Amino acid sequence: MRVLVVEDNGELVALIARALERAGLDVDDARTVADAEASLRTMSYAAVVLDLGLPDADGLSLLDLMRRRRDTTPVLILTARSGIGDRVRGLDRGASDYLVKPFATEELIARLQALLRRAPASDGHVLTLGNVALETAGRQASIAGKPVLVPAREADLLEVLMKRNGRLVSHGLLRGQVFGAASGVSSNAIEVYIHRLRRLLADAGATVQIHTIRGAGYLMKADSADAA
Ligand code: CA
């Protein structure tokens, strides 16, 4: 399960990421509301940990945006603001929980795990492209209606490519969304995963193609009817 940590303090991000990873969660981080929006557009998260004091906007504006889009991903607010008014405002606006800084990482993990248990097993969100379907919550893929086992990394890649549907997915975006910005994964390594995903799709008779855009990234398109 992947969690988005929206926090502008780099040290705190590192601390939280280490704790979440120890708890078996994958972590992406965003330092601004704009970064977080970009991540939410291209990836599904099991939960969001949201700081309120961010450099470009109030974290609550991200929560508002998510709820307007009917995005029901659980959001745990993390903030130095301890006033009761702030807590109520956050919860009123659709936050699932609230933790005041400073906090113990054990408490963050415990609360996050409680949220993940409460969240529906499947959000029913299914991406489709050509004859490929991917149920994003459980990472269940099917091709031409038949379930296909897709390893975790390849499933992450597939999700990003399907969400961008025909639009370019840059190396930088893939690195950040699939491998974590800090992983230092090379373009060659990404190429290897793309190659495996292509082979998996082709073997299963998928009617989509992953196109390489030299020096830029990849895009995935459904085969056009006349080319089939
Ligand atoms: Ca902050």
Side-chain angles (χ1 to χ4, degrees), residues 54-132:
L54 293 162
D56 58 339
D58 191 306
L60 286 178
S61 66
L62 183 74
L63 181 61
D64 286 343
L65 181 88
M66 290 173 69
R67 297 312 183 225
R68 270 204 307 280
R69 285 188 192 143
R70 303 189 189 290
D71 179 343
T72 56
T73 308
V75 173
L76 187 150
I77 290 180
L78 204 60
T79 180
R81 302 176 197 170
S82 61
I84 188 79
D86 283 316
R87 293 192 202 207
V88 169
R89 240 189 332 274
L91 296 172
D92 268 357
R93 283 155 85 161
S96 311
D97 202 357
Y98 206 105
L99 196 54
V100 175
K101 297 175 187 173
F103 57 89
T105 50
E106 291 78 7
E107 182 168 12
L108 174 64
I109 301 296
R111 289 191 182 215
L112 208 48
Q113 282 171 337
L115 287 186
L116 295 173
R117 278 195 300 271
R118 281 213 301 268
S122 162
D123 64 6
H125 188 50
V126 179
L127 299 168
T128 58
L129 188 63
N131 63 357
V132 180

Side-chain angles (χ1 to χ4, degrees), residues 7-8 51 53-54 101:
E7 166 65 62
D8 59 321
D51 177 32
L54 293 162
K101 297 175 187 173

